[in-house]
Amino acid sequence: MSDWHDELELALLPLEDLRVDSVYLTCVISNALSERGIFHQCRIGYAEDRLSRMTTAPHCWVELEQGWCIDLRLRQWLGDEDDLPHGVFQPSDYPRVRYQGTALLVPRLDVEDLKAMTNEVYSKVKLPWLPGQAAAA
């Protein structure tokens, strides 16, 4: 994993304790990424554990450039095992799981709404700047 992807995962970890579903969490993550100008695509569909044949649907996650994904909910449904993805990852590193989905449009929300929706947890999320991206003045 690149340093930036490591930093992104650490920045998103405060959100993993929210008791919300993947749709809700994907919306919150998408808004944080958009706020930082980070290109991404939200997806809705399902994730299948090829070993157990368990499927979680509907399931949402975020796709970043170069094939990276963000998913903080899959293990909640399929089990807390190391060979199931969690956080920021490359799906190819987790051949046990198959993701299938289509684009999901999420609403842009203002920061105050996001803080209210997350009981202020959103204020703890400090995403890293992309390499080469200028920090806002």
Side-chain angles (χ1 to χ4, degrees):
M1 189 173 332
S2 75
D3 288 343
W4 183 82
H5 290 99
D6 279 339
E7 290 177 39
L8 177 62
E9 183 170 285
L10 286 173
L12 293 172
L13 286 182
L15 299 173
E16 77 180 343
D17 291 332
L18 293 174
R19 295 186 173 275
V20 298
D21 64 22
S22 66
V23 177
Y24 194 103
L25 192 55
T26 295
C27 179
V28 172
I29 292 169
S30 176
N31 274 269
L33 293 169
S34 293
E35 207 177 291
R36 201 45 130 209
I38 299 168
F39 180 79
H40 66 284
Q41 174 68 64
C42 298
R43 309 292 271 171
I44 186 168
Y46 67 89
E48 176 189 18
D49 179 343
R50 292 176 172 158
L51 185 64
S52 70
R53 294 288 186 218
M54 286 181 55
T55 300
T56 179
H59 187 72
C60 296
W61 64 96
V62 176
E63 292 181 355
L64 301 169
E65 292 183 304
Q66 300 175 338
W68 290 89
C69 288
I70 301 171
D71 190 344
L72 298 177
R73 282 295 170 260
L74 187 65
R75 288 185 181 179
Q76 176 181 344
W77 301 110
L78 299 183
D80 191 14
E81 299 177 38
D82 289 343
D83 57 349
L84 295 173
H86 182 79
V88 179
F89 59 91
Q90 283 280 355
S92 59
D93 292 340
Y94 296 91
R96 178 176 164 180
V97 174
R98 179 170 68 107
Y99 282 90
Q100 185 69 40
T102 60
L104 170 68
L105 296 176
V106 299
R108 290 293 304 266
L109 303 170
D110 68 38
V111 173
E112 293 308 312
D113 288 339
L114 290 160
K115 287 179 184 177
M117 289 169 56
T118 62
N119 292 323
E120 297 296 321
V121 173
Y122 189 80
S123 61
K124 296 177 185 172
V125 175
K126 306 292 184 213
L127 299 188
W129 293 102
L130 279 167
Q133 184 183 33

